[in-house]
Amino acid sequence: KNEVEQSPQNLTAQEGEFITINCSYSVGISALHWLQQHPGGGIVSLFMLSSGKKKHGRLIATINIQEKHSSLHITASHPRDSAVYICAVRSEGGADGLTFGKGTHLIIQP
Amino acid sequence: DAGITQSPRHKVTETGTPVTLRCHQTENHRYMYWYRQDPGHGLRLIHYSYGVKDTDKGEVSDGYSVSRSKTEDFLLTLESATSSQTSVYFCAISESTLRRDTEAFFGQGTRLTVV
């Protein structure tokens, strides 16, 4: 069973700061997902990665397959970025869904 | 946004009563999943389906059953609700597990309280 660890668990930062959230996993994967969940809200997919780097607006996600590690970066953070960010992995040939980290609770203060 | 709808969105029920949650999709995706989300835990898989009438257990399946009689609907039933089943339940869908670029889409969640 894949073990997914996220750090930090909680992060409070000031508006404009550069944010990094880390995710590591224990077993080889076919894909890694970064998800966003606002308080009381649903879960939205931000990125899906199997290699390299992806960028969407102020969000950047990277993955290092050899080191079993991924990072989510937020540039020029804004209070609306406040949310829980969740890393999830799909194991090789995994029909039985995703394995999730416990999430990183991010608060961006004005 | 993917067409995935959960109902009800909120429910309060008494211990010992049966409860059914519904997940409905309009994407014709083959795979459907039920997860529960609890403080201090990541989302955990309850049951999943890989086709009509094809289901299998997940990590935390005790006390739950599922049915999938149509591609678009995946039902989660708590046969006799207990307080430990108070949680937020999420349905998810995906088209395939064979392709590396397979996206996962989530419903809005159902907040269930068992009193």
Side-chain angles (χ1 to χ4, degrees), chain A residues 1 30-31 33 35 37 42-43 45 48 90 92 94-98 100-102, chain B residues 31 33 35 37 40-43 45 48 59 90 97 100-104 106 108:
Chain A
K1 181 179 181 295
S30 63
H33 298 249
L35 310 167
Q37 185 178 25
I43 296 171
S45 178
M48 183 177 57
R90 183 185 303 281
E92 290 280 356
D96 56 346
L98 301 171
F100 296 80
K102 293 181 181 179
Chain B
Y31 294 87
Y33 307 86
Y35 296 96
Q37 184 179 42
H41 296 271
L43 278 83
L45 182 67
Y48 67 100
E59 178 187 358
F90 284 95
T97 63
R100 285 175 175 262
D101 61 348
T102 297
E103 283 275 7
F106 292 83
Q108 288 295 103

PDB file of all heavy atoms in Angstrom, chain A residues 1 30-31 33 35 37 42-43 45 48 90 92 94-98 100-102, chain B residues 31 33 35 37 40-43 45 48 59 90 97 100-104 106 108:
ATOM      1  N   LYS A   1       0.847  -1.188   0.000  1.00  0.00           N
ATOM      2  CA  LYS A   1       0.000   0.000   0.000  1.00  0.00           C
ATOM      3  C   LYS A   1       0.887   1.244   0.000  1.00  0.00           C
ATOM      4  O   LYS A   1       1.867   1.310   0.706  1.00  0.00           O
ATOM      5  CB  LYS A   1      -0.888  -0.015   1.242  1.00  0.00           C
ATOM      6  CG  LYS A   1      -1.839   1.164   1.356  1.00  0.00           C
ATOM      7  CD  LYS A   1      -2.683   1.043   2.617  1.00  0.00           C
ATOM      8  CE  LYS A   1      -3.667   2.185   2.763  1.00  0.00           C
ATOM      9  NZ  LYS A   1      -3.058   3.484   2.947  1.00  0.00           N
ATOM     10  N   SER A  30       1.637   5.667 -11.151  1.00  0.00           N
ATOM     11  CA  SER A  30       1.399   6.013 -12.549  1.00  0.00           C
ATOM     12  C   SER A  30       1.081   7.496 -12.689  1.00  0.00           C
ATOM     13  O   SER A  30       1.307   8.076 -13.753  1.00  0.00           O
ATOM     14  CB  SER A  30       0.250   5.185 -13.133  1.00  0.00           C
ATOM     15  OG  SER A  30      -0.952   5.463 -12.453  1.00  0.00           O
ATOM     16  N   ALA A  31       0.568   8.114 -11.626  1.00  0.00           N
ATOM     17  CA  ALA A  31       0.267   9.550 -11.675  1.00  0.00           C
ATOM     18  C   ALA A  31       0.111  10.103 -10.276  1.00  0.00           C
ATOM     19  O   ALA A  31      -0.228   9.365  -9.335  1.00  0.00           O
ATOM     20  CB  ALA A  31      -1.013   9.817 -12.476  1.00  0.00           C
ATOM     21  N   HIS A  33      -1.700  13.489  -8.224  1.00  0.00           N
ATOM     22  CA  HIS A  33      -2.670  14.571  -8.353  1.00  0.00           C
ATOM     23  C   HIS A  33      -2.474  15.580  -7.224  1.00  0.00           C
ATOM     24  O   HIS A  33      -2.216  15.198  -6.075  1.00  0.00           O
ATOM     25  CB  HIS A  33      -4.102  14.032  -8.250  1.00  0.00           C
ATOM     26  CG  HIS A  33      -4.488  13.066  -9.308  1.00  0.00           C
ATOM     27  ND1 HIS A  33      -5.418  13.368 -10.290  1.00  0.00           N
ATOM     28  CD2 HIS A  33      -4.090  11.798  -9.555  1.00  0.00           C
ATOM     29  CE1 HIS A  33      -5.574  12.323 -11.082  1.00  0.00           C
ATOM     30  NE2 HIS A  33      -4.785  11.341 -10.666  1.00  0.00           N
ATOM     31  N   LEU A  35      -4.799  18.424  -5.431  1.00  0.00           N
ATOM     32  CA  LEU A  35      -6.204  18.793  -5.317  1.00  0.00           C
ATOM     33  C   LEU A  35      -6.346  19.969  -4.366  1.00  0.00           C
ATOM     34  O   LEU A  35      -5.506  20.171  -3.476  1.00  0.00           O
ATOM     35  CB  LEU A  35      -7.012  17.600  -4.783  1.00  0.00           C
ATOM     36  CG  LEU A  35      -6.804  16.257  -5.488  1.00  0.00           C
ATOM     37  CD1 LEU A  35      -7.411  15.124  -4.669  1.00  0.00           C
ATOM     38  CD2 LEU A  35      -7.401  16.278  -6.877  1.00  0.00           C
ATOM     39  N   GLN A  37      -9.211  22.007  -1.800  1.00  0.00           N
ATOM     40  CA  GLN A  37     -10.515  21.942  -1.141  1.00  0.00           C
ATOM     41  C   GLN A  37     -10.700  23.181  -0.284  1.00  0.00           C
ATOM     42  O   GLN A  37      -9.981  23.397   0.687  1.00  0.00           O
ATOM     43  CB  GLN A  37     -10.614  20.688  -0.273  1.00  0.00           C
ATOM     44  CG  GLN A  37     -11.980  20.495   0.355  1.00  0.00           C
ATOM     45  CD  GLN A  37     -12.073  19.218   1.169  1.00  0.00           C
ATOM     46  OE1 GLN A  37     -11.077  18.695   1.660  1.00  0.00           O
ATOM     47  NE2 GLN A  37     -13.270  18.696   1.315  1.00  0.00           N
ATOM     48  N   GLY A  42     -16.272  21.354  -2.178  1.00  0.00           N
ATOM     49  CA  GLY A  42     -15.893  20.142  -2.882  1.00  0.00           C
ATOM     50  C   GLY A  42     -14.407  20.125  -3.164  1.00  0.00           C
ATOM     51  O   GLY A  42     -13.649  21.004  -2.758  1.00  0.00           O
ATOM     52  N   ILE A  43     -13.990  19.106  -3.870  1.00  0.00           N
ATOM     53  CA  ILE A  43     -12.568  18.889  -4.183  1.00  0.00           C
ATOM     54  C   ILE A  43     -12.377  19.138  -5.667  1.00  0.00           C
ATOM     55  O   ILE A  43     -13.093  18.585  -6.501  1.00  0.00           O
ATOM     56  CB  ILE A  43     -12.170  17.455  -3.818  1.00  0.00           C
ATOM     57  CG1 ILE A  43     -12.300  17.248  -2.298  1.00  0.00           C
ATOM     58  CG2 ILE A  43     -10.738  17.179  -4.270  1.00  0.00           C
ATOM     59  CD1 ILE A  43     -12.146  15.809  -1.872  1.00  0.00           C
ATOM     60  N   SER A  45      -9.564  19.324  -8.870  1.00  0.00           N
ATOM     61  CA  SER A  45      -8.259  18.891  -9.335  1.00  0.00           C
ATOM     62  C   SER A  45      -7.479  20.089  -9.877  1.00  0.00           C
ATOM     63  O   SER A  45      -7.974  20.833 -10.725  1.00  0.00           O
ATOM     64  CB  SER A  45      -8.422  17.838 -10.429  1.00  0.00           C
ATOM     65  OG  SER A  45      -7.161  17.434 -10.915  1.00  0.00           O
ATOM     66  N   MET A  48      -2.460  17.048 -12.611  1.00  0.00           N
ATOM     67  CA  MET A  48      -2.139  15.641 -12.635  1.00  0.00           C
ATOM     68  C   MET A  48      -0.794  15.496 -13.323  1.00  0.00           C
ATOM     69  O   MET A  48      -0.589  16.036 -14.411  1.00  0.00           O
ATOM     70  CB  MET A  48      -3.194  14.844 -13.398  1.00  0.00           C
ATOM     71  CG  MET A  48      -2.939  13.362 -13.403  1.00  0.00           C
ATOM     72  SD  MET A  48      -4.248  12.490 -14.237  1.00  0.00           S
ATOM     73  CE  MET A  48      -4.191  13.281 -15.823  1.00  0.00           C
ATOM     74  N   ARG A  90      -1.912   7.636  -7.731  1.00  0.00           N
ATOM     75  CA  ARG A  90      -2.489   6.425  -8.311  1.00  0.00           C
ATOM     76  C   ARG A  90      -1.360   5.432  -8.527  1.00  0.00           C
ATOM     77  O   ARG A  90      -0.403   5.734  -9.248  1.00  0.00           O
ATOM     78  CB  ARG A  90      -3.173   6.749  -9.646  1.00  0.00           C
ATOM     79  CG  ARG A  90      -3.869   5.530 -10.260  1.00  0.00           C
ATOM     80  CD  ARG A  90      -4.431   5.856 -11.641  1.00  0.00           C
ATOM     81  NE  ARG A  90      -5.355   6.975 -11.640  1.00  0.00           N
ATOM     82  CZ  ARG A  90      -6.618   6.896 -11.263  1.00  0.00           C
ATOM     83  NH1 ARG A  90      -7.124   5.743 -10.875  1.00  0.00           N
ATOM     84  NH2 ARG A  90      -7.390   7.969 -11.302  1.00  0.00           N
ATOM     85  N   GLU A  92       0.671   2.089  -9.803  1.00  0.00           N
ATOM     86  CA  GLU A  92       0.763   1.442 -11.106  1.00  0.00           C
ATOM     87  C   GLU A  92      -0.361   0.416 -11.257  1.00  0.00           C
ATOM     88  O   GLU A  92      -0.529  -0.440 -10.401  1.00  0.00           O
ATOM     89  CB  GLU A  92       2.105   0.727 -11.265  1.00  0.00           C
ATOM     90  CG  GLU A  92       3.290   1.662 -11.399  1.00  0.00           C
ATOM     91  CD  GLU A  92       3.430   2.223 -12.795  1.00  0.00           C
ATOM     92  OE1 GLU A  92       2.653   1.818 -13.682  1.00  0.00           O
ATOM     93  OE2 GLU A  92       4.312   3.080 -13.019  1.00  0.00           O
ATOM     94  N   GLY A  94      -3.402   0.799 -10.813  1.00  0.00           N
ATOM     95  CA  GLY A  94      -4.326   0.898  -9.699  1.00  0.00           C
ATOM     96  C   GLY A  94      -5.767   1.150 -10.099  1.00  0.00           C
ATOM     97  O   GLY A  94      -6.149   2.293 -10.354  1.00  0.00           O
ATOM     98  N   ALA A  95      -6.567   0.106 -10.140  1.00  0.00           N
ATOM     99  CA  ALA A  95      -7.986   0.294 -10.418  1.00  0.00           C
ATOM    100  C   ALA A  95      -8.713   0.794  -9.194  1.00  0.00           C
ATOM    101  O   ALA A  95      -9.798   1.354  -9.296  1.00  0.00           O
ATOM    102  CB  ALA A  95      -8.611  -1.024 -10.879  1.00  0.00           C
ATOM    103  N   ASP A  96      -8.112   0.567  -8.031  1.00  0.00           N
ATOM    104  CA  ASP A  96      -8.801   0.890  -6.789  1.00  0.00           C
ATOM    105  C   ASP A  96      -8.547   2.321  -6.344  1.00  0.00           C
ATOM    106  O   ASP A  96      -8.340   2.595  -5.171  1.00  0.00           O
ATOM    107  CB  ASP A  96      -8.403  -0.092  -5.681  1.00  0.00           C
ATOM    108  CG  ASP A  96      -6.906  -0.137  -5.450  1.00  0.00           C
ATOM    109  OD1 ASP A  96      -6.153   0.371  -6.305  1.00  0.00           O
ATOM    110  OD2 ASP A  96      -6.492  -0.681  -4.421  1.00  0.00           O
ATOM    111  N   GLY A  97      -8.572   3.245  -7.266  1.00  0.00           N
ATOM    112  CA  GLY A  97      -8.605   4.656  -6.931  1.00  0.00           C
ATOM    113  C   GLY A  97      -7.286   5.232  -6.486  1.00  0.00           C
ATOM    114  O   GLY A  97      -6.210   4.728  -6.800  1.00  0.00           O
ATOM    115  N   LEU A  98      -7.381   6.326  -5.742  1.00  0.00           N
ATOM    116  CA  LEU A  98      -6.229   7.100  -5.307  1.00  0.00           C
ATOM    117  C   LEU A  98      -5.939   6.869  -3.833  1.00  0.00           C
ATOM    118  O   LEU A  98      -6.831   6.536  -3.055  1.00  0.00           O
ATOM    119  CB  LEU A  98      -6.511   8.592  -5.535  1.00  0.00           C
ATOM    120  CG  LEU A  98      -6.809   9.026  -6.976  1.00  0.00           C
ATOM    121  CD1 LEU A  98      -7.289  10.466  -7.003  1.00  0.00           C
ATOM    122  CD2 LEU A  98      -5.600   8.830  -7.855  1.00  0.00           C
ATOM    123  N   PHE A 100      -4.484   9.061  -0.661  1.00  0.00           N
ATOM    124  CA  PHE A 100      -4.414  10.484  -0.381  1.00  0.00           C
ATOM    125  C   PHE A 100      -3.492  10.791   0.784  1.00  0.00           C
ATOM    126  O   PHE A 100      -3.405  10.033   1.750  1.00  0.00           O
ATOM    127  CB  PHE A 100      -5.803  11.017  -0.014  1.00  0.00           C
ATOM    128  CG  PHE A 100      -6.805  10.915  -1.126  1.00  0.00           C
ATOM    129  CD1 PHE A 100      -7.438   9.718  -1.399  1.00  0.00           C
ATOM    130  CD2 PHE A 100      -7.120  12.021  -1.900  1.00  0.00           C
ATOM    131  CE1 PHE A 100      -8.363   9.611  -2.418  1.00  0.00           C
ATOM    132  CE2 PHE A 100      -8.040  11.931  -2.925  1.00  0.00           C
ATOM    133  CZ  PHE A 100      -8.661  10.731  -3.183  1.00  0.00           C
ATOM    134  N   GLY A 101      -2.812  11.954   0.712  1.00  0.00           N
ATOM    135  CA  GLY A 101      -2.187  12.523   1.890  1.00  0.00           C
ATOM    136  C   GLY A 101      -3.250  13.154   2.773  1.00  0.00           C
ATOM    137  O   GLY A 101      -4.414  13.259   2.395  1.00  0.00           O
ATOM    138  N   LYS A 102      -2.831  13.577   3.961  1.00  0.00           N
ATOM    139  CA  LYS A 102      -3.786  14.148   4.910  1.00  0.00           C
ATOM    140  C   LYS A 102      -4.096  15.614   4.632  1.00  0.00           C
ATOM    141  O   LYS A 102      -4.976  16.191   5.257  1.00  0.00           O
ATOM    142  CB  LYS A 102      -3.253  14.001   6.332  1.00  0.00           C
ATOM    143  CG  LYS A 102      -3.173  12.558   6.792  1.00  0.00           C
ATOM    144  CD  LYS A 102      -2.659  12.441   8.213  1.00  0.00           C
ATOM    145  CE  LYS A 102      -2.565  10.975   8.618  1.00  0.00           C
ATOM    146  NZ  LYS A 102      -2.055  10.804   9.989  1.00  0.00           N
TER     147      LYS A 102
ATOM    148  N   TYR B  31     -15.281   4.064 -14.073  1.00  0.00           N
ATOM    149  CA  TYR B  31     -14.909   3.853 -12.672  1.00  0.00           C
ATOM    150  C   TYR B  31     -15.592   4.877 -11.769  1.00  0.00           C
ATOM    151  O   TYR B  31     -15.596   6.080 -12.047  1.00  0.00           O
ATOM    152  CB  TYR B  31     -13.384   3.959 -12.503  1.00  0.00           C
ATOM    153  CG  TYR B  31     -12.643   2.861 -13.207  1.00  0.00           C
ATOM    154  CD1 TYR B  31     -12.285   2.994 -14.540  1.00  0.00           C
ATOM    155  CD2 TYR B  31     -12.322   1.680 -12.551  1.00  0.00           C
ATOM    156  CE1 TYR B  31     -11.622   1.978 -15.206  1.00  0.00           C
ATOM    157  CE2 TYR B  31     -11.658   0.659 -13.198  1.00  0.00           C
ATOM    158  CZ  TYR B  31     -11.313   0.814 -14.529  1.00  0.00           C
ATOM    159  OH  TYR B  31     -10.659  -0.200 -15.183  1.00  0.00           O
ATOM    160  N   TYR B  33     -16.139   5.783  -7.395  1.00  0.00           N
ATOM    161  CA  TYR B  33     -15.532   5.536  -6.087  1.00  0.00           C
ATOM    162  C   TYR B  33     -16.324   6.257  -4.995  1.00  0.00           C
ATOM    163  O   TYR B  33     -16.840   7.353  -5.205  1.00  0.00           O
ATOM    164  CB  TYR B  33     -14.091   6.075  -6.047  1.00  0.00           C
ATOM    165  CG  TYR B  33     -13.202   5.579  -7.168  1.00  0.00           C
ATOM    166  CD1 TYR B  33     -13.166   6.227  -8.390  1.00  0.00           C
ATOM    167  CD2 TYR B  33     -12.397   4.464  -6.989  1.00  0.00           C
ATOM    168  CE1 TYR B  33     -12.350   5.782  -9.420  1.00  0.00           C
ATOM    169  CE2 TYR B  33     -11.570   4.003  -8.008  1.00  0.00           C
ATOM    170  CZ  TYR B  33     -11.554   4.669  -9.218  1.00  0.00           C
ATOM    171  OH  TYR B  33     -10.743   4.212 -10.233  1.00  0.00           O
ATOM    172  N   TYR B  35     -15.479   7.646  -1.149  1.00  0.00           N
ATOM    173  CA  TYR B  35     -14.474   7.905  -0.128  1.00  0.00           C
ATOM    174  C   TYR B  35     -15.146   8.554   1.071  1.00  0.00           C
ATOM    175  O   TYR B  35     -16.172   9.205   0.950  1.00  0.00           O
ATOM    176  CB  TYR B  35     -13.412   8.880  -0.637  1.00  0.00           C
ATOM    177  CG  TYR B  35     -12.580   8.398  -1.799  1.00  0.00           C
ATOM    178  CD1 TYR B  35     -12.911   8.739  -3.110  1.00  0.00           C
ATOM    179  CD2 TYR B  35     -11.435   7.626  -1.584  1.00  0.00           C
ATOM    180  CE1 TYR B  35     -12.138   8.324  -4.176  1.00  0.00           C
ATOM    181  CE2 TYR B  35     -10.652   7.206  -2.655  1.00  0.00           C
ATOM    182  CZ  TYR B  35     -11.005   7.555  -3.940  1.00  0.00           C
ATOM    183  OH  TYR B  35     -10.225   7.131  -4.988  1.00  0.00           O
ATOM    184  N   GLN B  37     -14.088  11.263   4.341  1.00  0.00           N
ATOM    185  CA  GLN B  37     -13.071  12.207   4.786  1.00  0.00           C
ATOM    186  C   GLN B  37     -13.305  12.543   6.245  1.00  0.00           C
ATOM    187  O   GLN B  37     -14.382  13.024   6.603  1.00  0.00           O
ATOM    188  CB  GLN B  37     -13.101  13.492   3.939  1.00  0.00           C
ATOM    189  CG  GLN B  37     -11.996  14.469   4.288  1.00  0.00           C
ATOM    190  CD  GLN B  37     -12.028  15.715   3.427  1.00  0.00           C
ATOM    191  OE1 GLN B  37     -13.082  16.267   3.157  1.00  0.00           O
ATOM    192  NE2 GLN B  37     -10.843  16.172   2.990  1.00  0.00           N
ATOM    193  N   GLY B  40      -7.841  14.405  10.516  1.00  0.00           N
ATOM    194  CA  GLY B  40      -6.659  13.617  10.866  1.00  0.00           C
ATOM    195  C   GLY B  40      -6.383  12.464   9.934  1.00  0.00           C
ATOM    196  O   GLY B  40      -5.384  11.758  10.089  1.00  0.00           O
ATOM    197  N   HIS B  41      -7.276  12.264   8.965  1.00  0.00           N
ATOM    198  CA  HIS B  41      -7.073  11.214   7.967  1.00  0.00           C
ATOM    199  C   HIS B  41      -7.167  11.817   6.583  1.00  0.00           C
ATOM    200  O   HIS B  41      -7.869  12.803   6.374  1.00  0.00           O
ATOM    201  CB  HIS B  41      -8.153  10.128   8.083  1.00  0.00           C
ATOM    202  CG  HIS B  41      -8.123   9.373   9.363  1.00  0.00           C
ATOM    203  ND1 HIS B  41      -7.356   8.233   9.546  1.00  0.00           N
ATOM    204  CD2 HIS B  41      -8.758   9.580  10.520  1.00  0.00           C
ATOM    205  CE1 HIS B  41      -7.539   7.780  10.760  1.00  0.00           C
ATOM    206  NE2 HIS B  41      -8.378   8.565  11.387  1.00  0.00           N
ATOM    207  N   GLY B  42      -6.448  11.214   5.647  1.00  0.00           N
ATOM    208  CA  GLY B  42      -6.718  11.563   4.259  1.00  0.00           C
ATOM    209  C   GLY B  42      -8.019  10.914   3.843  1.00  0.00           C
ATOM    210  O   GLY B  42      -8.604  10.118   4.587  1.00  0.00           O
ATOM    211  N   LEU B  43      -8.482  11.232   2.663  1.00  0.00           N
ATOM    212  CA  LEU B  43      -9.662  10.522   2.160  1.00  0.00           C
ATOM    213  C   LEU B  43      -9.347   9.034   2.091  1.00  0.00           C
ATOM    214  O   LEU B  43      -8.250   8.639   1.677  1.00  0.00           O
ATOM    215  CB  LEU B  43     -10.044  11.022   0.766  1.00  0.00           C
ATOM    216  CG  LEU B  43     -10.854  12.298   0.699  1.00  0.00           C
ATOM    217  CD1 LEU B  43      -9.962  13.518   0.798  1.00  0.00           C
ATOM    218  CD2 LEU B  43     -11.668  12.340  -0.596  1.00  0.00           C
ATOM    219  N   LEU B  45     -10.762   5.114   0.909  1.00  0.00           N
ATOM    220  CA  LEU B  45     -11.647   4.442  -0.028  1.00  0.00           C
ATOM    221  C   LEU B  45     -12.573   3.469   0.701  1.00  0.00           C
ATOM    222  O   LEU B  45     -12.123   2.612   1.470  1.00  0.00           O
ATOM    223  CB  LEU B  45     -10.815   3.698  -1.077  1.00  0.00           C
ATOM    224  CG  LEU B  45     -11.587   2.972  -2.161  1.00  0.00           C
ATOM    225  CD1 LEU B  45     -12.321   3.966  -3.057  1.00  0.00           C
ATOM    226  CD2 LEU B  45     -10.635   2.111  -3.000  1.00  0.00           C
ATOM    227  N   TYR B  48     -15.450   0.724  -4.526  1.00  0.00           N
ATOM    228  CA  TYR B  48     -15.372   1.274  -5.864  1.00  0.00           C
ATOM    229  C   TYR B  48     -16.049   0.336  -6.853  1.00  0.00           C
ATOM    230  O   TYR B  48     -16.342  -0.830  -6.542  1.00  0.00           O
ATOM    231  CB  TYR B  48     -13.919   1.551  -6.268  1.00  0.00           C
ATOM    232  CG  TYR B  48     -13.049   0.327  -6.438  1.00  0.00           C
ATOM    233  CD1 TYR B  48     -12.781  -0.194  -7.701  1.00  0.00           C
ATOM    234  CD2 TYR B  48     -12.473  -0.289  -5.331  1.00  0.00           C
ATOM    235  CE1 TYR B  48     -11.970  -1.294  -7.858  1.00  0.00           C
ATOM    236  CE2 TYR B  48     -11.660  -1.396  -5.483  1.00  0.00           C
ATOM    237  CZ  TYR B  48     -11.399  -1.893  -6.739  1.00  0.00           C
ATOM    238  OH  TYR B  48     -10.596  -2.989  -6.889  1.00  0.00           O
ATOM    239  N   GLU B  59     -10.491   0.224   1.541  1.00  0.00           N
ATOM    240  CA  GLU B  59      -9.784   0.151   2.824  1.00  0.00           C
ATOM    241  C   GLU B  59     -10.720   0.122   4.032  1.00  0.00           C
ATOM    242  O   GLU B  59     -10.432  -0.541   5.033  1.00  0.00           O
ATOM    243  CB  GLU B  59      -8.867   1.372   2.909  1.00  0.00           C
ATOM    244  CG  GLU B  59      -8.075   1.542   4.171  1.00  0.00           C
ATOM    245  CD  GLU B  59      -7.337   2.868   4.215  1.00  0.00           C
ATOM    246  OE1 GLU B  59      -7.421   3.638   3.227  1.00  0.00           O
ATOM    247  OE2 GLU B  59      -6.707   3.150   5.235  1.00  0.00           O
ATOM    248  N   PHE B  90     -17.389  11.526  -0.181  1.00  0.00           N
ATOM    249  CA  PHE B  90     -17.152  12.025  -1.531  1.00  0.00           C
ATOM    250  C   PHE B  90     -17.246  10.895  -2.541  1.00  0.00           C
ATOM    251  O   PHE B  90     -16.706   9.806  -2.329  1.00  0.00           O
ATOM    252  CB  PHE B  90     -15.769  12.665  -1.637  1.00  0.00           C
ATOM    253  CG  PHE B  90     -15.681  14.021  -1.015  1.00  0.00           C
ATOM    254  CD1 PHE B  90     -15.236  14.172   0.284  1.00  0.00           C
ATOM    255  CD2 PHE B  90     -16.049  15.148  -1.737  1.00  0.00           C
ATOM    256  CE1 PHE B  90     -15.162  15.428   0.869  1.00  0.00           C
ATOM    257  CE2 PHE B  90     -15.980  16.406  -1.164  1.00  0.00           C
ATOM    258  CZ  PHE B  90     -15.532  16.549   0.148  1.00  0.00           C
ATOM    259  N   THR B  97      -8.126   3.517 -15.788  1.00  0.00           N
ATOM    260  CA  THR B  97      -6.955   3.471 -14.916  1.00  0.00           C
ATOM    261  C   THR B  97      -5.713   3.103 -15.706  1.00  0.00           C
ATOM    262  O   THR B  97      -4.632   3.065 -15.177  1.00  0.00           O
ATOM    263  CB  THR B  97      -7.121   2.443 -13.799  1.00  0.00           C
ATOM    264  OG1 THR B  97      -7.235   1.147 -14.383  1.00  0.00           O
ATOM    265  CG2 THR B  97      -8.335   2.739 -12.965  1.00  0.00           C
ATOM    266  N   ARG B 100      -2.040   7.077 -18.247  1.00  0.00           N
ATOM    267  CA  ARG B 100      -1.391   7.920 -17.242  1.00  0.00           C
ATOM    268  C   ARG B 100      -2.055   9.279 -17.125  1.00  0.00           C
ATOM    269  O   ARG B 100      -1.910   9.945 -16.126  1.00  0.00           O
ATOM    270  CB  ARG B 100       0.086   8.095 -17.578  1.00  0.00           C
ATOM    271  CG  ARG B 100       0.905   6.859 -17.276  1.00  0.00           C
ATOM    272  CD  ARG B 100       2.332   6.992 -17.730  1.00  0.00           C
ATOM    273  NE  ARG B 100       3.078   5.815 -17.308  1.00  0.00           N
ATOM    274  CZ  ARG B 100       3.832   5.779 -16.220  1.00  0.00           C
ATOM    275  NH1 ARG B 100       3.948   6.842 -15.460  1.00  0.00           N
ATOM    276  NH2 ARG B 100       4.477   4.678 -15.886  1.00  0.00           N
ATOM    277  N   ASP B 101      -2.790   9.710 -18.144  1.00  0.00           N
ATOM    278  CA  ASP B 101      -3.376  11.043 -18.098  1.00  0.00           C
ATOM    279  C   ASP B 101      -4.832  11.013 -17.636  1.00  0.00           C
ATOM    280  O   ASP B 101      -5.586  11.934 -17.892  1.00  0.00           O
ATOM    281  CB  ASP B 101      -3.286  11.715 -19.463  1.00  0.00           C
ATOM    282  CG  ASP B 101      -4.032  10.931 -20.531  1.00  0.00           C
ATOM    283  OD1 ASP B 101      -4.417   9.771 -20.275  1.00  0.00           O
ATOM    284  OD2 ASP B 101      -4.229  11.473 -21.629  1.00  0.00           O
ATOM    285  N   THR B 102      -5.222   9.940 -16.950  1.00  0.00           N
ATOM    286  CA  THR B 102      -6.609   9.840 -16.513  1.00  0.00           C
ATOM    287  C   THR B 102      -6.889  10.788 -15.367  1.00  0.00           C
ATOM    288  O   THR B 102      -6.291  10.688 -14.303  1.00  0.00           O
ATOM    289  CB  THR B 102      -6.915   8.398 -16.070  1.00  0.00           C
ATOM    290  OG1 THR B 102      -6.760   7.531 -17.188  1.00  0.00           O
ATOM    291  CG2 THR B 102      -8.337   8.297 -15.548  1.00  0.00           C
ATOM    292  N   GLU B 103      -7.827  11.695 -15.582  1.00  0.00           N
ATOM    293  CA  GLU B 103      -8.234  12.628 -14.533  1.00  0.00           C
ATOM    294  C   GLU B 103      -9.202  11.953 -13.567  1.00  0.00           C
ATOM    295  O   GLU B 103      -9.885  11.000 -13.914  1.00  0.00           O
ATOM    296  CB  GLU B 103      -8.949  13.823 -15.159  1.00  0.00           C
ATOM    297  CG  GLU B 103      -8.027  14.826 -15.801  1.00  0.00           C
ATOM    298  CD  GLU B 103      -7.479  15.834 -14.796  1.00  0.00           C
ATOM    299  OE1 GLU B 103      -7.708  15.693 -13.582  1.00  0.00           O
ATOM    300  OE2 GLU B 103      -6.813  16.773 -15.242  1.00  0.00           O
ATOM    301  N   ALA B 104      -9.247  12.484 -12.362  1.00  0.00           N
ATOM    302  CA  ALA B 104     -10.260  12.083 -11.385  1.00  0.00           C
ATOM    303  C   ALA B 104     -11.126  13.291 -11.095  1.00  0.00           C
ATOM    304  O   ALA B 104     -10.619  14.404 -10.948  1.00  0.00           O
ATOM    305  CB  ALA B 104      -9.605  11.577 -10.105  1.00  0.00           C
ATOM    306  N   PHE B 106     -14.420  14.842  -8.717  1.00  0.00           N
ATOM    307  CA  PHE B 106     -15.060  14.623  -7.424  1.00  0.00           C
ATOM    308  C   PHE B 106     -16.402  15.328  -7.349  1.00  0.00           C
ATOM    309  O   PHE B 106     -16.588  16.407  -7.907  1.00  0.00           O
ATOM    310  CB  PHE B 106     -14.160  15.150  -6.300  1.00  0.00           C
ATOM    311  CG  PHE B 106     -12.898  14.364  -6.137  1.00  0.00           C
ATOM    312  CD1 PHE B 106     -11.794  14.628  -6.940  1.00  0.00           C
ATOM    313  CD2 PHE B 106     -12.804  13.365  -5.197  1.00  0.00           C
ATOM    314  CE1 PHE B 106     -10.618  13.902  -6.806  1.00  0.00           C
ATOM    315  CE2 PHE B 106     -11.641  12.623  -5.046  1.00  0.00           C
ATOM    316  CZ  PHE B 106     -10.553  12.897  -5.850  1.00  0.00           C
ATOM    317  N   GLN B 108     -19.433  17.086  -4.832  1.00  0.00           N
ATOM    318  CA  GLN B 108     -19.362  18.160  -3.851  1.00  0.00           C
ATOM    319  C   GLN B 108     -19.361  17.655  -2.415  1.00  0.00           C
ATOM    320  O   GLN B 108     -19.154  18.430  -1.484  1.00  0.00           O
ATOM    321  CB  GLN B 108     -20.526  19.131  -4.043  1.00  0.00           C
ATOM    322  CG  GLN B 108     -20.383  19.999  -5.289  1.00  0.00           C
ATOM    323  CD  GLN B 108     -19.174  20.922  -5.174  1.00  0.00           C
ATOM    324  OE1 GLN B 108     -18.133  20.672  -5.770  1.00  0.00           O
ATOM    325  NE2 GLN B 108     -19.293  21.981  -4.393  1.00  0.00           N
TER     326      GLN B 108
END
